[in-house]
Amino acid sequence: MAGRSSDDQPRTPNRCSSESPTYARLRYAEPQTPATIAVIRAWPRRRQSTQRDIVHLPTTLAPWSPHDTQLILSCVLGLVLIIVFISALKLAPFLSILVGTFAAGFAAGLPLEAVASAFSKGAGSLLGDVGIIIALGAMLGALMAESGAADRLVSTILKHSTPRSLPWMMALVAIIIGMPLFFEVGLVMMVPIIFVMARRSKQPILRIAIPALAGMTTLHALLPPHPGPLIAVSALHADLGLTLGLGLIVAIPAVILAGPLYGIWLSGRMDVAEPEEMGKLFSAQTDTAEPPSFAISLITILLPVILMLGRTVAKLALQPETFLFNALNFLGEPLVALGLTVLFAIVALGWSRGMPRDRVSGILRKSLPPIAALLLTIGAGGGLKQALVVAGISTTIGKIAVGAHMPLILLAWLIAVALRQATGSATVATTTTAGIVAPVVIGLSPTHNSLMALAIGAGSVFFCHVNDAGFWMVREYFGLKLKQTVFVWSILQTIVSVVGLALTLLMWSVLT
């Protein structure tokens, strides 16, 4: 019929012999979604490219507008104010983030009541998710320190290691403990071990802490069953087992470079003393009786790991809605797993060893005040993230990717980096990036889809800063200044991110 474009002509099963299988499958598929139509129309440009992994991203996003520019500038304004208030004016981080959030929201054009609502929602959501876990972790850490269980674990590790190998041993311990745990849970489990280990070995605390941090954050970014990698695997329809195998290949060098090697280098150039309040919290009393056995100490520290690992196995291997699935799913919920572990520690490390109930109660009570500032700061970081998300920063970052012409895996990494810098959330960065690039990975091999998921995960941890809850956890736990936290945490994560990108690009070329 006259006037019809070629794309409107009725489709026919007679396929041109020059068409690629992927293009043919998209063109003759029923029904055709807007995403597949966009890919079909972009395909000639893709075929003309000299590099087959260079594409134009199809999108239904609106064109760039002055509001997008305003939003980017307001985000920068808020972050600059937070840094100035903390570094120059010496205000408390919680108050600085609060002021920076309102400044960014107002500059972005949000009503002040909407900024307040978003801040409250973000802070409440994050504290409801992470705050109780941190409180339970502080209780468990205090019980392990005062009972001597942490000392027992540290003594055993020290017997089987040398001062030279200790950073490597801490990275291995963090990987084992952090495999099934969310980063925040793994950190609160490792903190008492880090403090006692540094004290007993008489080594700089950064030499012990950085390898542990690197082990946990690398797993969180690259390996299923952590939330970010699982989101990317699902959105890109990647193979879970293949992603896990390739993720291990990427994770091991990343942990080595960002952990023991960087920790040894930085600890010789940055002198960080043990913070007084946290040091007292994780110190054993001199009148403590014979410490618990190594077996009881190890069971206590591994109990939440085992419970959460059981939940992961249930989701991967069991049928939903069965009794065993429901039981493992409930017991592996982080709040339940840590709560049960604290109750187990009260009995196994306290009452059963003759520790008076008043003393056990006192240990639990005194564990909470030192983390009050930490909880408020983390909550404020969640409020800042939510205000920026409500203002539309994710959509604005997505528009930056429109019309991009570069290797697909590099583009995916850069989008994740930009979203993480703007929102402070690895989950937001991973989910949004995977959604943006998902239409153009149709037809790629399972290996390439898995590498795309890993590149997105690597980008989601690049240079995490003041809008990141982990940034403030590290700062408050180890008593760091803002500049020191950048070196200890932000640069550590940047190393993980860049190594992840480099290795995924290398495998993308080698495995093509």
Side-chain angles (χ1 to χ4, degrees), residues 285-301:
Q285 296 294 321
T286 56
D287 60 346
T288 299
E290 180 68 19
S293 66
F294 175 75
I296 289 296
S297 302
L298 187 63
I299 289 172
T300 303
I301 195 72

Side-chain angles (χ1 to χ4, degrees), residues 173-190:
V173 170
I175 289 174
I176 293 172
I177 290 180
M179 180 66 78
L181 304 182
F182 295 128
F183 171 78
E184 293 84 2
V185 181
L187 180 58
V188 299
M189 296 293 294
M190 284 297 299

Side-chain angles (χ1 to χ4, degrees), residues 11-249:
R11 288 185 294 271
T12 172
N14 296 324
R15 303 176 183 180
C16 175
S17 60
S18 63
E19 291 177 347
S20 73
T22 300
Y23 178 74
R25 179 163 62 86
L26 288 171
R27 184 168 178 79
Y28 302 111
E30 292 285 358
Q32 286 189 350
T33 66
T36 58
I37 292 172
V39 175
I40 290 167
R41 290 174 175 170
W43 198 273
R45 297 195 305 272
R46 175 177 178 142
R47 290 295 301 270
Q48 292 166 6
S49 173
T50 57
Q51 297 184 20
R52 67 191 180 105
D53 58 335
I54 297 180
V55 299
H56 292 272
L57 282 179
T59 180
T60 58
L61 295 174
W64 187 270
S65 67
H67 176 71
D68 294 308
T69 303
Q70 178 186 359
L71 192 52
I72 293 293
L73 293 177
S74 64
C75 181
V76 172
L77 172 65
L79 297 180
V80 169
L81 286 177
I82 292 170
I83 293 171
V84 170
F85 283 6
I86 294 175
S87 301
L89 302 182
K90 306 299 181 185
L91 292 182
F94 167 76
L95 185 59
S96 301
I97 298 172
L98 179 64
V99 174
T101 300
F102 272 89
F106 180 75
L110 287 177
L112 291 180
E113 60 270 21
V115 179
S117 176
F119 184 89
S120 299
K121 180 180 178 181
S125 176
L126 187 59
L127 288 178
D129 187 32
V130 176
I132 298 176
I133 289 174
I134 293 175
L136 290 171
M139 290 180 177
L140 180 61
L143 283 168
M144 291 193 65
E146 295 249 4
S147 67
D151 270 313
R152 175 70 78 181
L153 290 173
V154 168
S155 298
T156 304
I157 294 174
L158 287 174
K159 285 180 183 178
H160 296 86
S161 62
T162 64
R164 188 181 184 87
S165 66
L166 198 54
W168 301 88
M169 185 69 73
M170 288 302 296
L172 179 61
V173 170
I175 289 174
I176 293 172
I177 290 180
M179 180 66 78
L181 304 182
F182 295 128
F183 171 78
E184 293 84 2
V185 181
L187 180 58
V188 299
M189 296 293 294
M190 284 297 299
V191 162
I193 304 296
I194 292 170
F195 275 88
V196 176
M197 181 69 77
R199 194 180 303 125
R200 289 285 303 278
S201 65
K202 296 181 172 58
Q203 293 201 30
I205 194 167
L206 292 185
R207 185 182 174 93
I208 305 300
I210 287 179
L213 293 172
M216 289 182 292
T217 192
T218 303
L219 295 180
H220 181 73
L222 298 175
L223 292 184
H226 290 275
L230 277 180
I231 291 170
V233 165
S234 175
L236 302 178
H237 303 290
D239 181 84
L240 182 62
L242 182 59
T243 305
L244 181 60
L246 294 175
L248 284 171
I249 296 174

Side-chain angles (χ1 to χ4, degrees), residues 32 44 48 113 148 224 261 267 309 366 405 410 455 465 498:
Q32 286 189 350
Q48 292 166 6
E113 60 270 21
L261 295 182
S267 63
L309 184 60
K366 82 166 191 176
H405 194 70
L410 176 60
H465 52 89
V498 172

Side-chain angles (χ1 to χ4, degrees), residues 420-421 459 461-465 467 486 489-491 493-494 497:
R420 181 59 193 262
Q421 298 306 296
V461 296
F462 183 89
F463 199 79
C464 302
H465 52 89
N467 60 356
V486 169
W489 183 241
S490 304
I491 293 181
Q493 292 218 298
T494 301
S497 182

Side-chain angles (χ1 to χ4, degrees), residues 429-446:
T430 301
T431 303
T432 307
T433 304
I436 291 172
V437 303
V440 293
V441 301
I442 299 172
L444 293 182
S445 70

